[in-house]
Amino acid sequence: MATNILVGRDIITIDGEDVTADMAEGDVMVITTSGEINTAGMTYHQQMVVAENRSGQIGQVTMRILRGSPTDKKFLASYTTYENDSPSFVCLQGSVEQRLGDGYGNVTSNYFSVSDMVFARKPSDVTVNANGQIEQTAREYTFICLIVNTMG
């Protein structure tokens, strides 16, 4: 019997609100880690020593949001707060539920949670195009975050 993987209807939340409807096209959310969670070295007598690297839990979230959407407005307001008075900024929290079907009606969910999201860059530049490019409808936001868990 063949193995099928059907994907879709993922749910993306920021601060407890479903923001999936405000996503643009293509890769709408990407969560990446910044480094290794362990480092290793070799002793003189060929023994491996492993040390936990806590900075490996720091990640980056990149989101492509439709310009003018409620999420875009919220992020712009949050960015303005961060830019004007970063100590008073309230960090964002996020999660993704990625739904996987097997083609036989069974659905499994993978969950990814991030916390302490802070702006890593200014919101993306404006794209203007006269040839029907849809890139001009999206704004890209990049955050530094703590990767809380990735559970399947």
Side-chain angles (χ1 to χ4, degrees), residues 27-74:
D27 289 339
V28 297
M29 183 176 193
V30 178
I31 302 172
T32 56
T33 58
S34 63
E36 299 171 342
I37 58 171
N38 290 304
T39 56
M42 188 68 70
T43 69
Y44 180 77
H45 295 289
Q46 302 298 307
Q47 295 170 315
M48 184 171 73
V49 178
V50 178
E52 185 177 23
N53 181 4
R54 301 295 272 173
S55 65
Q57 295 176 338
I58 297 172
Q60 182 171 298
V61 174
T62 303
M63 300 177 73
R64 292 175 34 78
I65 306 293
L66 290 172
R67 290 180 184 274
S69 68
T71 303
D72 183 45
K73 292 175 183 174
K74 176 183 175 175

Side-chain angles (χ1 to χ4, degrees), residues 5-25:
I5 301 292
L6 307 171
V7 297
R9 305 222 179 216
D10 299 337
I11 300 168
I12 300 170
T13 59
I14 300 294
D15 289 342
E17 294 180 33
D18 185 347
V19 297
T20 311
D22 294 343
M23 296 295 163
E25 47 69 55

